[in-house]
């Protein structure tokens, strides 16, 4: 059979057989693939085998409507867990080790929590804001909260001495208000 392969392919296969790590990886891949082939027998919300009224059913392989087991006339999908819990059911079921299907989730009452966790939160009374101490000429003397506000990593010291207009756009009205504030303090505008 190897003679039918291209010489490059034969050479690659010989090299693959010499690598121990490649062999183990291939074996693990084959094992996982084999497990996936029988996954319906490991985790499923349908029983593998069901015995009812002297008949044997295999719900993993074939669809059986609800009417087959209850006689209620419904031709819908059978809820096998509810059927097993029903006192009127006179049969038995062989379940996979994990009784949950792919589209099924646990109810919150079924989740077991070893150590309860308490989370206390409080509302912030004020919005997150930054403050700047400015020098004449709209240069930053000190800032607080600006890193969080502008998603900047640089420190407060790196911002010192930089013009405020590098961080936020200043409208003419805002620039006039800042200049007016400095004028009121007698420091002088720009």
């Amino acid at each position: 059979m190897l003679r039918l392969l291209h010489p490059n392919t034969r050479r690659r296969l010989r090299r693959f057989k010499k690598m121990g790590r490649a062999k183990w990886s291939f074996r693990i891949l084959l094992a996982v693939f084999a497990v996936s082939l029988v996954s319906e027998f490991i985790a499923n919300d349908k029983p593998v085998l069901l015995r009812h009224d002297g008949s044997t059913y295999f719900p993993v392989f074939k669809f059986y409507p609800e009417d087959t087991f209850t006689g209620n006339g419904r031709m819908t999908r059978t809820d096998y867990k509810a059927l097993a819990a029903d006192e009127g059911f006179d049969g038995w079921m062989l379940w996979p080790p994990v009784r949950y299907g792919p589209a099924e989730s646990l109810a919150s009452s079924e989740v077991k929590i070893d150590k309860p966790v308490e989370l206390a939160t409080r509302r912030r009374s004020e919005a997150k804001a930054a403050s700047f101490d400015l020098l004449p000429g709209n240069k930053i003397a000190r800032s607080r909260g600006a890193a969080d506000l502008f998603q900047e990593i640089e420190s407060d010291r790196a911002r010192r001495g930089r013009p405020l207009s590098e961080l936020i756009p200043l409208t003419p009205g805002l620039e006039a208000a800042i200049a007016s504030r400095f004028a009121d303090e007698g420091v002088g505008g720009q």
Side-chain angles (χ1 to χ4, degrees):
M1 168 118 175
L2 286 176
R3 291 182 182 169
L4 297 175
L5 298 175
H6 192 273
N8 282 342
T9 305
R10 282 185 280 178
R11 181 176 47 84
R12 289 175 182 152
L13 283 173
R14 279 193 304 271
R15 191 173 71 206
F16 179 80
K17 288 178 185 178
K18 290 179 185 177
M19 289 189 270
R21 185 173 41 187
K23 282 184 192 176
W24 278 107
S25 297
F26 185 65
R27 288 175 186 156
I28 291 170
L29 180 67
L30 285 178
V32 170
F33 177 69
V35 167
S36 75
L37 292 176
V38 294
S39 64
E40 292 287 323
F41 299 104
I42 296 170
N44 204 334
D45 59 343
K46 299 178 206 133
V48 176
L49 177 71
L50 185 141
R51 186 89 172 141
H52 175 67
D53 284 341
S55 299
T56 304
Y57 301 94
F58 298 95
V60 170
F61 298 114
K62 186 177 177 190
F63 170 78
Y64 298 104
E66 188 176 335
D67 181 57
T68 307
F69 307 110
T70 61
N72 61 8
R74 294 186 194 149
M75 301 305 277
T76 59
R77 180 181 181 271
T78 306
D79 183 358
Y80 292 101
K81 290 180 183 179
L83 183 64
D86 186 13
E87 293 178 11
F89 179 69
D90 59 341
W92 58 270
M93 299 179 194
L94 176 65
W95 289 92
V98 180
R99 293 185 181 194
Y100 296 98
E104 193 174 15
S105 61
L106 289 172
S108 61
S109 60
E110 295 178 29
V111 177
K112 304 289 186 261
I113 300 174
D114 293 336
K115 296 179 184 178
V117 176
E118 289 185 26
L119 178 65
T121 61
R122 62 184 175 92
R123 248 182 107 153
R124 290 187 71 153
S125 60
E126 56 189 75
K128 191 174 203 175
S131 64
F132 299 98
D133 294 339
L134 296 176
L135 298 170
N138 296 341
K139 301 230 188 251
I140 299 171
R142 182 173 160 192
S143 64
R144 290 176 232 52
D148 294 333
L149 191 61
F150 300 105
Q151 289 86 28
E152 288 186 349
I153 299 172
E154 68 183 16
S155 67
D156 175 47
R157 290 177 194 218
R159 279 189 291 279
R160 288 183 185 171
R162 288 176 50 193
L164 182 61
S165 58
E166 285 184 15
L167 290 176
I168 58 173
L170 297 177
T171 62
L174 184 56
E175 282 183 320
I178 293 171
S180 168
R181 177 74 172 137
F182 280 118
D184 288 345
E185 292 181 1
V187 178
Q190 322 236 347

